[in-house]
Amino acid sequence: MINTGVVVIGVSAGGFKALHTVLEPLPKDFSMPITVVQHQHRKADDYLVRSLNSKCLVEVKYPENGEIPKPGVAYVAPPDRHLRFADGPCFMLSDDERHNYSRPSIDLLFLSAAAVY
């Protein structure tokens, strides 16, 4: 895979509608992977992923630890797990301490994306 970049999105708990607004118009063959951290309750179910999948052409899913990001897929940080990029690039999920009172942390995703991409 050629490392052409990644789209990184962070929204707080009120960002549900904004995520739909940004992701719904994207074509199925969007040229980059998309990563999303939304602050949600630690016991939230998969409603966010299901809702986005029902309206978006790009696939929306939780990433697997060690998974290599693919273009045209939107990866959403699971509730109560940090989502970061590791070298490769591949995803790294963790339940490390909260960062700025949050897990998942938007900051940690952005910092790791900047370092890897």
Side-chain angles (χ1 to χ4, degrees), residues 37-40 77-83 99 102-106:
V37 166
Q38 178 172 10
H39 293 150
Q40 359 177 17
D80 207 32
R81 303 287 310 271
H82 291 305
L83 173 61
H99 183 80
S102 298
R103 187 175 55 224
S105 167
I106 294 169

Side-chain angles (χ1 to χ4, degrees), residues 8-88:
V8 184
I9 301 171
V11 294
S12 198
F16 181 80
K17 184 176 180 185
L19 280 177
H20 275 273
T21 301
V22 170
L23 295 178
E24 283 181 31
L26 298 179
K28 184 179 181 100
D29 61 349
F30 190 70
S31 63
M32 290 186 284
I34 305 148
T35 54
V36 178
V37 166
Q38 178 172 10
H39 293 150
Q40 359 177 17
H41 189 275
R42 64 184 177 89
K43 293 186 178 181
D45 63 13
D46 65 347
Y47 178 76
L48 175 62
V49 169
R50 286 184 291 118
S51 176
L52 289 168
N53 259 323
S54 73
K55 306 263 185 186
C56 297
L57 297 176
V58 295
E59 177 186 3
V60 182
K61 64 180 271 188
Y62 292 134
E64 298 291 327
N65 203 34
E67 183 174 357
I68 296 171
K70 296 179 188 124
V73 180
Y75 300 92
V76 177
D80 207 32
R81 303 287 310 271
H82 291 305
L83 173 61
R84 297 181 206 158
F85 287 99
D87 289 336

